[in-house]
């Protein structure tokens, strides 16, 4: 489970201070898919980075599978990212001069897994994203869709409990993007991982179990698949603290 508790993120100080997130709170059950929706500057990528331990909140905390990220020391945080977390970014972030195999091996190297163990996991991950035939190819020679599939293979190779995708189709044409979305959700179902997608695409968000909309660093609405949207944009803080879905599994206090 992911628990986000009163998370505030402020950049800068005094007159230059900017609040990217303002007392954001919600929880997501295991194996669910979550879409974080918002325009540029809404705070959605900041929130994803904080959930993934790439950034730290100014106030509040994030708890993933019972562990408070702010209490993890550096080595424990590195282990958490290597073993429990898989990231897929809009810009791919693959190493162009390395082979497909070497790119997928990176999180396993960080986890200090033995080479013999790595090989089987890498082959399995590449098979899942249909890149087995490119195993020795340089990443720079892949198409955009292939690079994103490579990024997904790298994200899933350690069988993480949480997969996070930041605008995964943003740099792809619509046909290729649709295939990547289908692949992400297929892997999400097969692996039983929790999937968090940051997007401004409402059609993509609608595929997720839970949709949380951000504006100016605050949650303005929340919706579960099949339920009506709960609009929090005009609510008082007390109202927001009471807002929750019928299941009680997604709670909003932002």
């Amino acid at each position: 489970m992911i628990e986000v508790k009163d998370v505030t993120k402020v950049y800068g100080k005094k007159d230059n201070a900017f609040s990217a997130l303002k007392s954001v709170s919600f929880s997501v059950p295991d194996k669910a898919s979550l879409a974080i929706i918002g325009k540029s500057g809404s705070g959605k990528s900041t929130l994803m980075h904080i959930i993934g331990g790439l950034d730290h909140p100014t106030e509040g905390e994030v708890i993933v599978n019972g562990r408070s990220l702010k209490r993890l020391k550096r080595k424990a945080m590195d282990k958490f990212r290597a073993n429990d977390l898989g990231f897929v970014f809009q810009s791919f972030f693959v190493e162009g001069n390395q082979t497909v195999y070497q790119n997928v091996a990176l999180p396993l190297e960080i986890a200090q897994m033995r080479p013999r163990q790595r090989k089987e996991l890498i082959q399995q991950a590449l098979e899942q994203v249909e890149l087995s035939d490119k195993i020795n190819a340089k990443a720079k020679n892949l198409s955009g869709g292939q690079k994103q599939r490579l990024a997904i293979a790298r994200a899933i190779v350690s069988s993480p409990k949480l997969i996070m995708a930041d605008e995964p189709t943003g740099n792809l044409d619509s046909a290729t993007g649709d295939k990547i979305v289908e692949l992400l959700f297929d892997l999400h179902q097969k692996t039983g991982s929790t999937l968090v997608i940051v997007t401004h695409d409402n059609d993509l968000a609608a595929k997720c179990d839970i949709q949380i909309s951000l504006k100016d660093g605050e949650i303005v609405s929340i919706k579960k698949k099949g339920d009506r949207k709960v609009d929090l944009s005009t609510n008082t803080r007390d109202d927001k603290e009471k807002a929750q879905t019928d299941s009680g599994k997604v709670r909003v206090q932002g």
Side-chain angles (χ1 to χ4, degrees):
M1 176 178 282
I2 302 170
E3 298 176 85
V4 177
K5 297 185 174 182
D6 290 320
V7 165
T8 293
K9 181 63 179 181
V10 179
Y11 294 101
K13 296 181 179 180
K14 296 182 179 180
D15 293 342
N16 295 319
F18 169 71
S19 296
L21 294 172
K22 305 169 186 175
S23 299
V24 171
S25 296
F26 61 89
S27 60
V28 181
D30 290 338
K31 302 182 180 181
S33 56
L34 166 69
I36 302 173
I37 316 161
K39 295 181 180 179
S40 179
S42 63
K44 60 186 187 298
S45 290
T46 299
L47 178 57
M48 190 196 78
H49 292 161
I50 289 174
I51 293 173
L54 297 178
D55 201 352
H56 303 284
T58 305
E59 297 177 10
E61 67 176 336
V62 173
I63 300 172
V64 179
N65 297 326
R67 291 180 293 179
S68 175
L69 298 190
K70 73 177 184 180
R71 301 180 189 278
L72 295 183
K73 295 183 179 180
R74 184 172 180 177
K75 285 187 177 180
M77 178 62 81
D78 289 343
K79 186 176 180 180
F80 164 73
R81 291 197 200 107
N83 296 332
D84 293 4
L85 209 57
F87 277 103
V88 180
F89 295 99
Q90 176 179 350
S91 300
F92 316 137
F93 291 119
V94 297
E95 293 293 334
N97 288 321
Q98 291 190 342
T99 66
V100 164
Y101 183 97
Q102 290 169 327
N103 270 274
V104 180
L106 181 59
L108 303 180
E109 291 173 358
I110 294 173
Q112 298 182 332
M113 183 178 289
R114 293 179 179 178
R116 185 175 295 179
Q117 291 175 293
R118 290 181 213 160
K119 185 176 181 179
E120 183 177 355
L121 293 178
I122 292 167
Q123 289 173 334
Q124 289 175 355
L126 290 174
E127 184 176 340
Q128 286 181 287
V129 301
E130 299 181 356
L131 278 182
S132 297
D133 61 326
K134 302 291 184 182
I135 192 167
N136 294 315
K138 290 286 183 70
K140 65 183 179 182
N141 295 326
L142 302 180
S143 68
Q146 289 172 332
K147 287 177 181 176
Q148 194 60 295
R149 281 192 278 147
L150 172 56
I152 293 171
R154 184 180 58 198
I156 66 171
V157 69
S158 57
S159 299
K161 296 177 182 177
L162 174 59
I163 298 174
M164 308 194 74
D166 189 359
E167 301 283 7
T169 62
N171 284 342
L172 304 173
D173 62 78
S174 58
T176 304
D178 288 344
K179 292 178 181 178
I180 291 299
V181 169
E182 183 179 354
L183 175 61
L184 274 174
F185 279 92
D186 184 51
L187 291 171
H188 160 63
Q189 293 294 329
K190 287 180 178 177
T191 62
S193 59
T194 301
L195 176 63
V196 176
I197 297 178
V198 168
T199 185
H200 62 270
D201 184 339
N202 290 325
D203 290 337
L204 171 54
K207 297 178 183 293
C208 294
D209 300 321
I210 305 158
Q211 301 168 41
I212 291 177
S213 297
L214 290 180
K215 182 179 180 181
D216 298 329
E218 295 184 285
I219 294 177
V220 293
S221 70
I222 184 167
K223 181 181 179 181
K224 280 190 67 179
K225 186 180 286 186
D227 292 346
R228 68 180 181 86
K229 181 185 290 187
V230 179
D231 189 347
L232 306 176
S233 59
T234 59
N235 289 3
T236 66
R237 180 171 177 80
D238 287 342
D239 290 334
K240 291 179 181 181
E241 290 178 348
K242 294 176 183 177
Q244 57 183 351
T245 63
D246 292 338
S247 69
K249 290 190 174 181
V250 182
R251 183 166 49 87
V252 178
Q253 298 175 315

